Amino acid sequence: EPEVTQTPSHQVTQMGQEVILRCVPISNHLYFYWYRQILGQKVEFLVSFYNNEISEKSEIFDDQFSVERPDGSNFTLKIRSTKLEDSAMYFCASSATGPYGYTFGSGTRLTVV
Amino acid sequence: SQQGEEDPQALSIQEGENATMNCSYKTSINNLQWYRQNSGRGLVHLILIRSNEREKHSGRLRVTLDTSKKSSSLLITASRAADTASYFCATDAGNTDKLIFGTGTRLQVFP
C-alpha cells in the first residue's frame, strides 16, 4: 500500500538552529499538508500546499516556517530558528482529493534543546 | 468547548468488551473522520462518515453521526489488546481542506 515517508524519525536540535523536515508524499497525490502535535496535546494544522503554493496556513505557521516542494517528490518543512516550544511531532500528509483521503506519514519527533 | 472535543479522555476496558468514544464539534461539517494513533506513532485513518450519513460500519468499527447534536461516536466491538491506542475524531473546516482534530481518547485494553 502506498505510504507517506518522513525523515528523520527523530531530530534533536539546538535552540536557534534551522531544521528541515522531509516528506515524500504518495506519488499521484496533489495536496500536501503539515500538522504538528505537541506532546500530550491535539494534532494541529500548520499548512496546506497545492499547485506549488500555500493554499492555507494557521496562525502557528509564522515567518519562521516555510514549505517547499523542491522537486517532483519531496515536500519539506523548514523552521528557520527553532524555539523550545517548537518541540513536537510533525506529521506530513498527502491527499488526492483534499480532506477526504488523507494519508499521514509516521511523523518526525523534533526536540529542541 | 473547542471544535472536536472527545470524551472520555481515557478509557480502560477488558478484552472482549466494547469501547465507545464520543466526539462533539461546533461548526457545520461536510464529513467527520476517526483516526487511530499508537503511542508516539503516526495517524492511521479508520473511517470517514459524511454529513448526510447517520451510521457507518467497517469491520469491528461502528461510527454514528448526529448532525443535529453535532456529535459522533466510535464503537469498537469485541476489543483486543492490540486496539490499545489513542483515537481522534477530525472534522473538515467548511470550504478549506484542513482537518480539525479532537483532543482524543486514550483507550487501554487489558488482556
Side-chain angles (χ1 to χ4, degrees):
Chain A
E1 189 170 327
E3 58 181 30
V4 174
T5 305
Q6 289 187 244
T7 56
S9 57
H10 190 189
Q11 176 145 8
V12 181
T13 189
Q14 292 213 320
M15 192 168 53
Q17 294 294 304
E18 173 184 286
V19 293
I20 297 177
L21 310 183
R22 301 181 192 280
C23 170
V24 179
I26 293 173
S27 61
N28 63 342
H29 284 184
L30 302 175
Y31 300 82
F32 312 110
Y33 310 87
W34 284 100
Y35 286 75
R36 80 170 186 191
Q37 183 183 32
I38 295 171
L39 186 65
Q41 298 187 23
K42 62 168 71 177
V43 178
E44 301 172 289
F45 169 79
L46 289 178
V47 66
S48 57
F49 191 87
Y50 171 72
N51 202 24
N52 286 319
E53 60 182 24
I54 291 175
S55 48
E56 187 175 358
K57 59 184 181 180
S58 72
E59 58 189 29
I60 301 168
F61 194 89
D62 61 23
D63 291 344
Q64 293 300 314
F65 290 87
S66 62
V67 289
E68 199 175 39
R69 190 156 159 79
D71 52 42
S73 60
N74 290 287
F75 179 51
T76 62
L77 174 70
K78 182 193 290 187
I79 309 175
R80 191 173 319 145
S81 178
T82 50
K83 311 186 205 52
L84 294 176
E85 54 264 37
D86 293 327
S87 294
M89 183 78 96
Y90 287 81
F91 293 106
C92 172
S94 70
S95 169
T97 56
Y100 303 106
Y102 271 52
T103 300
F104 280 89
S106 54
T108 293
R109 181 171 298 284
L110 176 66
T111 303
V112 182
V113 297
Chain B
S1 62
Q2 299 175 26
Q3 183 89 339
E5 292 289 315
E6 293 173 68
D7 77 270
Q9 289 188 339
L11 179 62
S12 295
I13 58 174
Q14 294 290 131
E15 252 187 342
E17 294 180 339
N18 295 342
T20 300
M21 291 160 268
N22 303 295
C23 166
S24 62
Y25 57 92
K26 294 185 81 69
T27 63
S28 296
I29 61 171
N30 296 311
N31 67 77
L32 185 144
Q33 306 179 50
W34 284 90
Y35 285 84
R36 167 197 166 116
Q37 183 183 33
N38 284 25
S39 180
R41 306 292 297 274
L43 295 156
V44 176
H45 181 260
L46 295 175
I47 196 165
L48 179 151
I49 186 165
R50 298 188 188 278
S51 60
N52 61 353
E53 297 175 308
R54 291 296 165 257
E55 188 170 312
K56 203 158 181 182
H57 296 255
S58 176
R60 293 184 296 112
L61 305 181
R62 174 177 167 253
V63 169
T64 62
L65 179 64
D66 186 335
T67 53
S68 67
K69 295 180 180 176
K70 292 187 168 59
S71 67
S72 173
S73 68
L74 170 68
L75 168 67
I76 304 174
T77 60
S79 63
R80 305 167 183 165
D83 294 328
T84 295
S86 290
Y87 292 82
F88 296 89
C89 67
T91 56
D92 64 307
N95 291 327
T96 75
D97 59 351
K98 70 181 182 188
L99 293 178
I100 300 175
F101 282 82
T103 50
T105 294
R106 290 188 313 279
L107 174 66
Q108 174 87 50
V109 182
F110 292 99

